[in-house]
Amino acid sequence: MLLPRLGRTPSARSSSRARKSVIAASAAILLFGPAVAVADAAPSTDLPAQLIEAVQRDLKMSPQEYLRRADAAQEVAAFGVTAQRQFPQVYAGAWLNEAGKSVVAITSGPGADEARAAAVSAGHEVRNVAKSESALRGEKTAFENWLSAAPAPVQAAVRGVVIDTVNNAIAVRVNQVGVQLPAFIDPSRVVVTAPPVGGERVDLAASPIAGAGNGALGGGDAYASVLGRSQLHCSLGFNGTDRNGNVVNISAGHCNPDVETGGTAGAAAVYERNNTSLGAELGTFGKTVLGEQDYSIIRINDGAKGRFENNLVRVPGAAPIAIDGVATPVVGAPVCKSGARTGFSCGVINGVDQTVQVGDRQMTQSFSANLCALPGDSGGAIVSGRLAVGISSASSVADYPICEIPIILGALTGDAPQLFAQPISVVLNDNPGLSVRTN
């Protein structure tokens, strides 16, 4: 699971609130394998070197192919929106396959021929399947209703459910073998995952440093949220503005050490962070949502506004990528996260619009990708190409000290690291007038 790094300020009351904000998550179902290697081309000149390195290392593809696939994912996502409206009885989802080709699934029924013709005309491959997306959503709802009435041990064993678009089925995560599930759940789509483990705790002797600070701050840069003795270390997400034009940063909800005080005069403060030292106060938590969603809107102080009036995502201290739009999560799309702990790491989205058990709450509408994130990366920006797609929320490998270990183990066992994310599009829809800064 992905946690903020925990620390303590020198003066304060109990850190119990910090412990309450720590979250856990199960491993994602491997619905989609690693990207197929693509012949390297000349590096893109407008992506930072650290991102190019991560794309080539993790995705085994060139920067140009990474950008092409990101664009292709949004094209098929746009087609899907239209197809859902025009062909609701036969449309069964869309994704990128392992070769980066867009695929649209169609089932039999009224409008099937027209739907296939439209998909082919738009340049997408068509796959014939048994169930429509509407039918799969009905099965997902039916499973959730069944689970709500199931015995407590069964409820505790189920870690989440997702529509597995690629396999045209409902997939369920459980934490032990032998869990009795409804007959309509395909046993081959039941994946056993290890129970979540605790996150890393760090005791720090940090104190605020005088001075206003300088230089632009963007997605992936480090911050500490402080309330009394409670201190959480996280990563900034996307810079933006709210409906009133206030400068904000959109990060994770669980990075707030006291969720209930968000938006009040007693809200936790956000400080710039440099290793174990705290810098100038940057702002406070203007709004925090932690339940079915996981996001915070950090209201930036007047004195720091100029540092956030940009559309940048980067590895701390390195050259950035400029965000020029917002993406819809699509299975098969390449994504890269930036975090203060581990920098850029990349993977492929393998589940969208899913429900996942995160500690004692259920996170809905989340997406997952097979990439590594560790404590301190929480709240950081996730991009697809040059587009904002999500906020880092929870990971399956947060108990490891470095990403190399779970990545090697994943290559040997097939159990790759998984990052669960809060879609930025959901945050924007929930907050009319909120926007991400773009070109």
Side-chain angles (χ1 to χ4, degrees):
M1 68 209 140
L2 181 59
L3 308 174
R5 300 187 92 180
L6 303 183
R8 291 187 295 181
T9 53
S11 66
R13 58 184 188 270
S14 166
S15 62
S16 62
R17 287 186 180 130
R19 289 193 294 270
K20 290 179 181 177
S21 71
V22 172
I23 64 171
S26 61
I29 297 171
L30 297 178
L31 307 181
F32 211 88
V36 175
V38 177
D40 285 341
S44 172
T45 58
D46 59 354
L47 295 181
Q50 290 80 7
L51 179 54
I52 292 175
E53 178 185 2
V55 166
Q56 294 175 331
R57 178 194 67 224
D58 300 337
L59 296 174
K60 305 297 188 293
M61 67 178 64
S62 70
Q64 290 86 355
E65 179 66 6
Y66 164 69
L67 293 173
R68 185 199 71 77
R69 293 193 186 201
D71 289 344
Q74 295 313 295
E75 290 173 3
V76 78
F79 178 86
V81 172
T82 301
Q84 285 174 326
R85 182 175 62 252
Q86 293 184 345
F87 312 109
Q89 294 178 289
V90 297
Y91 175 71
W95 64 91
L96 295 190
N97 64 21
E98 291 189 357
K101 173 69 175 179
S102 56
V103 180
V104 174
I106 303 294
T107 188
S108 59
D113 291 340
E114 292 86 347
R116 291 188 185 94
V120 171
S121 177
H124 308 305
E125 178 183 315
V126 173
R127 179 179 296 184
N128 296 321
V129 297
K131 302 174 183 178
S132 68
E133 185 175 72
S134 177
L136 290 172
R137 290 188 184 280
E139 287 188 8
K140 181 173 180 283
T141 298
F143 176 80
E144 291 170 339
N145 291 338
W146 173 88
L147 184 62
S148 67
V154 174
Q155 294 186 30
V158 174
R159 306 305 305 172
V161 59
V162 61
I163 294 176
D164 182 355
T165 305
V166 176
N167 292 292
N168 196 232
I170 302 301
V172 179
R173 289 179 292 272
V174 296
N175 64 10
Q176 63 188 47
V177 297
V179 179
Q180 296 298 311
L181 300 177
F184 61 82
I185 299 297
D186 183 348
S188 69
R189 306 312 305 152
V190 178
V191 176
V192 179
T193 66
V197 295
E200 181 180 1
R201 172 173 289 278
V202 181
D203 291 325
L204 301 172
S207 59
I209 300 172
N214 55 61
L217 291 173
D221 282 323
Y223 74 89
S225 56
V226 179
L227 188 71
R229 295 186 64 86
S230 300
Q231 182 183 131
L232 303 178
H233 288 185
C234 286
S235 300
L236 291 171
F238 296 103
N239 290 335
T241 55
D242 66 15
R243 65 189 306 169
N244 298 315
N246 298 309
V247 176
V248 300
N249 183 269
I250 306 168
S251 189
H254 71 271
C255 288
N256 184 348
D258 193 354
V259 172
E260 290 76 14
T261 62
T264 72
V270 170
Y271 288 84
E272 185 175 5
R273 185 168 65 84
N274 182 16
N275 296 321
T276 60
S277 298
L278 299 186
E281 182 177 333
L282 300 173
T284 58
F285 286 94
K287 179 179 180 179
T288 296
V289 175
L290 185 60
E292 293 186 348
Q293 306 298 321
D294 179 13
Y295 69 85
S296 281
I297 301 173
I298 300 171
R299 175 81 175 269
I300 304 303
N301 294 340
D302 289 345
K305 284 181 178 179
R307 306 181 68 188
F308 289 84
E309 291 176 336
N310 64 74
N311 59 335
L312 306 179
V313 171
R314 65 180 186 177
V315 171
I321 178 176
I323 299 303
D324 60 16
V326 174
T328 299
V330 175
V331 170
V335 292
C336 297
K337 77 99 182 68
S338 182
R341 173 81 178 274
T342 60
F344 281 120
S345 54
C346 302
V348 174
I349 293 178
N350 52 27
V352 300
D353 195 16
Q354 61 185 304
T355 300
V356 59
Q357 189 71 29
V358 182
D360 59 357
R361 67 185 180 87
Q362 280 197 329
M363 185 176 178
T364 65
Q365 298 177 284
S366 66
F367 69 90
S368 60
N370 57 346
L371 61 84
C372 180
L374 298 178
D377 292 328
S378 289
I382 305 172
V383 300
S384 184
R386 301 184 185 89
L387 303 177
V389 66
I391 296 294
S392 294
S393 178
S395 168
S396 65
V397 295
D399 55 326
Y400 289 94
I402 57 175
C403 280
E404 286 76 6
I405 297 174
I407 288 174
I408 291 173
L409 292 176
L412 295 174
T413 65
D415 189 13
Q418 298 293 316
L419 174 66
F420 292 87
Q422 166 73 55
I424 195 68
S425 57
V426 173
V427 180
L428 300 181
N429 288 337
D430 286 351
N431 296 273
L434 179 67
S435 65
V436 170
R437 289 188 181 273
T438 67
N439 289 332

